[in-house]
Amino acid sequence: MAVKIRLARHGAKKRPYYRVVVADGRMPRDGRYIEQVGRYNPLTTPKTIELDLEKIDEWVAKGAQPSNTVSHLIDIVRTGAPAPEKKHKLSKKQAAKAAKAAE
């Protein structure tokens, strides 16, 4: 059985909230899971990352594979660095308006 540590999406439309879960790799993303080991909310400022590193280490020792995203979240929690903020790109209209205002 391939066990994975991955994100399960919850929350309303356009308002994502994730649970970090240990699940069988064959189960659907939001389906049945074995254990919940953390939470991640990307909408708060700063982003909220709550992980139980002891449980995660136990599962990794048993052979569970963390997904790329979960590996990145684990690294952020272990180093204590804040999660990087996403850069917002201006649309063409907004860039033109900003350039006109700068003149």
Side-chain angles (χ1 to χ4, degrees):
M1 179 169 81
V3 178
K4 305 220 181 257
I5 303 173
R6 63 184 181 204
L7 298 177
R9 190 183 194 278
H10 293 276
K13 180 179 176 184
K14 308 263 182 171
R15 306 286 297 163
Y17 176 83
Y18 299 94
R19 292 180 185 171
V20 181
V21 298
V22 178
D24 183 348
R26 298 171 291 186
M27 291 294 128
R29 179 192 69 185
D30 300 333
R32 189 172 69 207
Y33 58 87
I34 301 168
E35 184 176 13
Q36 179 179 335
V37 293
R39 293 185 213 105
Y40 170 56
N41 188 351
L43 298 179
T44 59
T45 305
K47 297 177 181 180
T48 306
I49 305 170
E50 299 171 13
L51 297 176
D52 189 343
L53 294 176
E54 292 176 7
K55 285 184 181 179
I56 291 172
D57 290 338
E58 287 176 16
W59 279 106
V60 169
K62 292 178 187 176
Q65 297 290 318
S67 68
N68 292 338
T69 306
V70 172
S71 295
H72 183 67
L73 293 175
I74 291 170
D75 291 342
I76 289 172
V77 170
R78 287 194 198 280
T79 60
E85 292 296 323
K86 189 174 182 181
K87 295 180 182 177
H88 295 286
K89 187 175 178 182
L90 295 176
S91 68
K92 290 180 181 177
K93 282 185 178 181
Q94 290 173 335
K97 189 182 267 188
K100 188 174 182 180
E103 290 178 356

